[in-house]
Amino acid sequence: MKRNFAYSPPGGGRHAPRGPREKITMKSVKTLGRVLGMLFKEYWFLLLIVGITTVLSSLANTRGSMFLKELVDDYIEPMIGNASAEGYARLLRAILYMGLIYLVGVASTFLHNWLMISVGQGMLRKVRARVFNKLQTLPVKYFDQHGYGNIMSLFTNDVSTLRQLISQSIPQLVTSIVTIVIVFTNMLRLSGWLTLVVCFFIALMFIFTALLGGKSGRYYIKQQASLGELNGYIEETINGQKVVKVFCHEDKAKADFDEKNQELRRNATRANTFANVVMPLMNNLGNIQYVVLAVIGGALAVSGVGGMTIGTIIAFLQLSRNFSMPVSQVSEQVNHIVLAMAGADRLFQVIDETPEDDEGTIDLVNIKKDTGDEFVECEEHTGAWAWKIPDGNGGFTYKRLLGDVILTDVDFSYVEGKQVLFDVTVDAERGEKVAFVGATGAGKTTITNLINRFYDIQDGTITYDGIDIKAIKKSALRRSLGIVLQDVNLFTGTVRDNIRYGRLDATDEEIVAAAKLANAHGFIEMLPEGYDTVLEGDGSGLSQGQRQLIAIARAAVADPPVMILDEATSSIDTRTETIVQRGMDQLMHGRTVFVIAHRLSTVMNSDLIMVLDHGHIVEQGNHDQLIEQQGIYYRLYTGAFQLD
Amino acid sequence: MKPRNQGPKLCILFACLIVAAALIFCWIKFAFRPFTALFSGISAGAQLGNIIFVVVIAVIAVLAIVIAIRSCRRYNERTGSESILGSTMIGRLASSFREYKKYVYLTPLCVILESIMDTLIPLLTGILIDQGIKNMDMPFIIRIGLVLLGCAVVSLGLGMLTGVFSARCSAGYAANLRHDLFYKAQTYSFANIDKFSTGSIVTRLTTDVGNVQMAFMAAIRVAVRCPVMLILALMMSFSINAELSYVFLGAIPILGVGLFIIMKYSRPVFRKVFKMFDRLNTTVQENVRGVRVVKSFVRQDYEKEKFGKNVDDIFYGFRKAERILAFNRPLMQFCMYGSKLLVCWLGAQLIIESGQTAMSTGQLSALLTYTLQILMSLMMLSQIFVMLTMSRASMDRVDEMLLEEPTITDPEDPVTEVRDGSVSFKDVVFAYSKHGDKPVLDHVNIDIKSGETIGIIGGTGSSKSSLVSLIPRLYDVIGGSVEVGGVDVRDYDIESLRGAVAMVLQKNELFSGTIRENLLWGNPDATDEEIRHCCHIADADRFILERPDGYDTFIEQSGTNVSGGQKQRICIARALLKKPKILILDDSTSAVDTETDAKIRAGLKNYMPETTKFIIAQRISSVQDSDRIIVLDEGRVTAFGTHDELMKSSDIYREVYWSQQKGGERLEA
């Protein structure tokens, strides 16, 4: 199923429970400022209109509550007992006038909603694209440090809280505040004394919401934590369900599950109880306020203090009904905004990340022979390349790409203080096949990661055709290297699209040719739709070996001048591997190839074999030389020594 | 496609008729105005009568709904059709209420009572204004005020109870549903798991249960409250003034039809947008997982473009859907303001004409409050419908899991004792799907004696794993039979069979916990001595002891902090702890070097001579010294014999042998 990551990734809950633990801090205020800044910069005009319409629709709404007082005091009461045509005409005029105001209100509401859609969705579109585009520029290191789940959660959880913030919380907060201000002003105009009573109730409402909100928030955090734990448990157990079955471990799994499930139930019940109680409490505080207002208003009217009239009381009572709703909403929305700030903050962190630095200026271009047997730059893929070097005053010089990759005294560490490569020197001449052999963690893959600059070396130099690779644009450098990794990543799309990923302008014939070379053509033809079979979920319908064959075809269609094969054939049976190898050798004839493999059969026919141990090169030479040396390689070959 | 289902429509019509009958009943009652007396002089008896009347009508309405749902369900059962209202699916989902069932009844009851209170309050405030404030009758104001205060307190109490009950109910229900799903998943066979895929099972247990819980919570509170409020408020306004209340009868259809049209047009758009969301997430997921591929092919721009298109699709889709929804509020306001003004205009005339007898200003004010209540509840009702339809997909997916029958179950009178480790395949035909095209195992006949070591070799996709997975009955054969210890595997108690057959899967999993805890999966009662022994055989003791915490080293989720080879060796040790009669290693030493591999095999030979051992491998060296070797090719046994025999008789075997021979892995340790 593809819906796995529909709205929240199943594993999403595992990564640091995100509850309303965030308090209002300087940071969240700053983040809010930044969100608002972005909004206003993009949409200041629309937001201006939105602001006006918000005020208009709130005005119309409260004006309506005031209207009843006028109706009773100015039109109905005087006419009781002496109805007149003129009086009715006045009444009708007043109602039509009110109708007009309402119409403006309705129109404002509509305009407000309509425009906020463009603002909210437009902003989300920008944020999504900005975060994703930023991710594309970040170094591999970033992806190592932040887990896959955390990055996914940016696009699922964090963007959706931002959406909530922009299209709901902020507009509602603004509407509520505007309404409160307008209602409050009107109340003050009607009666100062009764407003005082209202103030008391507002305070009461705020206290209660703060109290209950706090309690609910605390349990909400607990609920999220136990939800995360339970989801993690479900994920792990179900993913290992086949092992559970093989070991008949079902009962133990059920018992562990029940414990976590009940814990979640308890916390969820508490969190929801407090949240559920808020609304009825607010409503009935409103009702009690109503009664108190009526009694005090009545008393005032009877005693004649403050010129209280029946109409004033009725209008005031109506107004007070409009009050409890926005008040409780303000406190609720403030909570939401604080929550959303945590998410917005994570998004900004990505936007603020420093991208992979690329100080290189040298580009890679295809070349072809022109009529005079001279090489000239061209658009299409020709199988011949040149480095395009800017000469510093607007012009370029060209240097034929040969494929000499030389590492000199390279030191490297992923984490400071934990050096993984020591004084590594490798001399790969054009057309050579260079193999790296060594135990897991010896630094084989690290070397290839340095050549394509996924990571930068700390000391030493790496040159490509005599050019320091730092002077080459990263994109050019990587285009010049075809890489097949042990872990194959395929994309949702047809098999053909997946192979074409290697070179976007490859023709269908070239794709089939590449698939044949990788020995993938046979099984692709057997798929239900052949090359048009849609692969989903990282090619989950294929075996590991088949996926590797597609990855090899993908690299083959790219037809790069230098190739790196990192355990590329580890899941392919040896018979098929022999066939693939033959094809690859043919393709890479005259070009440089780096090979990393566990199986010695894969590396044996290399021109140069480097034996790595704990980041040091301990032996090098071709197969025969190394056998002659009778060192580690020899012992590996004879099985007297083991790799792990 | 099934023929269009008329059942639910009939039932809804039935419910509508009952509600309409109640309304007409109201109208007739008020035509005679037996309650108008209430407003000219407050009489406790009349008030009580009014309340009783309201309660009776409310009960009738609820009964109508219940009957409608019941008859709907019966109709569904009779015709075998499925519809959301009262469908058997809802029935199945409802069976998870269990101990929380009382709350399922208590919550709506509280909601109904609370709604009654909420409608009584405006009525009382109307009286307060009319008789109290108009006449400046302070004692009366205080008296009614106290009654109002009482109502508010009762309403508050009921509201809180609703909150408590519904929280218990929904959290408990979700817990039960998860429990049922998880337990169900534990009964699944490999075939069931393959059918759903583990990812999908996880989603159903997490996201989908969450959606169902939300829908349930909304249904039990809002979906009950809205119709009750609607009916009560309508009745109240009719009881205040029937003529004026006809205004609502005009406004409700306008709002109803408007909302219906909005829903009808927005729903398909929303569905489409949610699909687009899936696509967007897939794009991000694949991009992040394949970041090295993207970077090495320099496909950042291509990815940006792909993602940009996803984002644009969502933007336009959402904008379209939300723009349709944007009509919601203005429509609602239009109806509300319209009815309000009409009520004002007609009400004012009525008051003036009759000199406050037919209608009072207080009643006008109360009527306006009911206007809000009526239209609001209609609005909420429409939103609930949208929400329920949206959660429908989740309900279906949860239900699908509950309905799934495990394909492998214990037989009646099972055999619980596995005699020995002999295995025989008798004319076995096997395919993963029953109506599958080509069987993956085609008429396999093999007899294996107890204690033998059997190597299995074959190319990618030659069904090596399929063959061995039949031994512990992870799948059932389509034709022929598999016998273990002389008994058909289908006659065994599954737990006894799997207890005797230890299998190390190709894709093996460790679970978060210490190494010791992981090993104890094999045998919960294993002593430290046994654990050490098994780890020694699997050559895992060396690296375990190298770690500072030894056997108490914590394994991260999916074993990310041990290397592939180490993981494989722990998995082998875990299987050995079962002291199995049959041990199956499915390519379990692929990440282990040749020498260790040989050491493990030697250990197995020495320490577990009675155990039948199956070894699937890519390397000839791993199987070469087996008693006999099976050569599989495209689901067929092409050769079966010792290494020397096969070197003579099997072309495939020879070819594989020579392809590795060149690689220098031929040498034995």
Side-chain angles (χ1 to χ4, degrees), chain A residues 229-452:
Chain A
E229 197 176 326
L230 179 71
N231 285 356
Y233 183 79
I234 291 174
E235 206 189 337
E236 182 169 21
T237 312
I238 298 290
N239 279 332
Q241 188 63 30
K242 292 195 170 178
V243 180
V244 172
K245 302 245 44 139
V246 168
F247 282 93
C248 292
H249 212 262
E250 292 97 331
D251 289 334
K252 179 78 173 44
K254 284 178 187 170
D256 288 349
F257 170 83
D258 278 342
E259 196 182 305
K260 293 186 165 66
N261 194 23
Q262 287 307 320
E263 176 68 21
L264 170 63
R265 185 189 61 78
R266 274 193 293 277
N267 288 326
T269 305
R270 286 191 199 119
N272 283 328
T273 303
F274 285 108
N276 285 349
V277 164
V278 174
M279 261 334 259
L281 190 69
M282 288 297 131
N283 274 340
N284 287 300
L285 269 178
N287 283 332
I288 293 169
Q289 172 188 268
Y290 193 91
V291 172
V292 172
L293 283 176
V295 170
I296 294 180
L300 286 177
V302 169
S303 60
V305 179
M308 191 73 65
T309 63
I310 293 167
T312 313
I313 298 177
I314 296 176
F316 201 97
L317 289 179
Q318 278 278 339
L319 273 180
S320 77
R321 282 230 161 264
N322 290 340
F323 215 61
S324 54
M325 191 75 136
V327 168
S328 54
Q329 256 176 14
V330 167
S331 51
E332 201 185 318
Q333 297 310 338
V334 168
N335 266 343
H336 279 169
I337 288 174
V338 173
L339 258 179
M341 280 311 104
D345 204 43
R346 280 187 285 270
L347 292 172
F348 282 132
Q349 270 173 25
V350 178
I351 291 174
D352 293 342
E353 271 303 322
T354 8
E356 199 171 4
D357 50 341
D358 190 3
E359 65 283 17
T361 51
I362 299 171
D363 209 347
L364 180 75
V365 292
N366 290 305
I367 49 171
K368 66 178 175 195
K369 274 191 182 143
D370 68 359
T371 43
D373 236 21
E374 284 287 301
F375 280 103
V376 291
E377 185 179 345
C378 65
E379 284 292 314
E380 70 273 16
H381 181 81
T382 54
W385 298 267
W387 299 110
K388 186 178 181 182
I389 307 166
D391 56 14
N393 29 13
F396 296 97
T397 56
Y398 291 90
K399 183 174 184 181
R400 182 84 194 267
L401 184 146
L402 301 167
D404 297 334
V405 179
I406 297 167
L407 286 79
T408 318
D409 296 333
V410 169
D411 288 345
F412 177 72
S413 55
Y414 289 103
V415 188
E416 208 147 321
K418 273 178 134 178
Q419 198 166 338
V420 291
L421 287 182
F422 303 85
D423 290 334
V424 169
T425 300
V426 181
D427 191 347
E429 304 266 321
R430 67 201 72 166
E432 272 188 346
K433 184 171 175 184
V434 179
F436 296 104
V437 175
T440 314
K444 299 170 305 214
T445 301
T446 307
I447 293 181
T448 64
N449 277 339
L450 298 179
I451 296 174
N452 65 15

Side-chain angles (χ1 to χ4, degrees), chain A residues 18-23 216-218 220-221 224 335 338-339:
Chain A
R18 289 166 180 180
R21 78 168 63 174
E22 285 84 0
K23 289 261 168 337
S216 153
R218 263 201 300 287
Y220 183 74
I221 294 169
Q224 290 307 96
N335 266 343
V338 173
L339 258 179

Side-chain angles (χ1 to χ4, degrees), chain A residues 48-184:
Chain A
L48 192 71
I49 301 176
V50 166
I52 295 170
T53 54
T54 308
V55 174
L56 278 181
S57 76
S58 299
L59 270 176
N61 198 14
T62 37
R63 182 73 186 77
S65 313
M66 300 291 287
F67 178 65
L68 194 66
K69 164 193 180 317
E70 285 170 30
L71 196 69
V72 172
D73 281 1
D74 301 351
Y75 300 96
I76 299 179
E77 296 280 345
M79 287 226 286
I80 293 176
N82 56 4
S84 64
E86 194 213 343
Y88 275 125
R90 269 186 62 222
L91 178 65
L92 186 63
R93 255 206 311 282
I95 286 183
L96 288 179
Y97 170 67
M98 193 58 228
L100 209 65
I101 292 177
Y102 274 150
L103 218 57
V104 172
V106 173
S108 306
T109 308
F110 179 72
L111 203 62
H112 170 266
N113 286 354
W114 190 267
L115 294 179
M116 271 318 281
I117 293 168
S118 296
V119 174
Q121 291 296 339
M123 177 83 173
L124 287 186
R125 169 157 81 157
K126 289 211 166 61
V127 168
R128 282 199 185 104
R130 254 180 97 171
V131 172
F132 186 84
N133 292 351
K134 185 67 182 215
L135 278 179
Q136 301 313 304
T137 68
L138 296 181
V140 172
K141 202 171 184 170
Y142 177 87
F143 294 86
D144 293 345
Q145 285 165 350
H146 302 75
Y148 154 79
N150 286 324
I151 296 174
M152 269 320 284
S153 135
L154 290 174
F155 288 89
T156 51
N157 299 335
D158 295 338
V159 170
S160 79
T161 46
L162 197 66
R163 170 187 143 74
Q164 185 93 9
L165 177 80
I166 296 169
S167 53
Q168 264 183 33
S169 298
I170 293 181
Q172 241 173 49
L173 188 69
V174 172
T175 313
S176 299
I177 290 175
V178 169
T179 311
I180 289 175
V181 169
I182 295 172
V183 171
F184 199 75

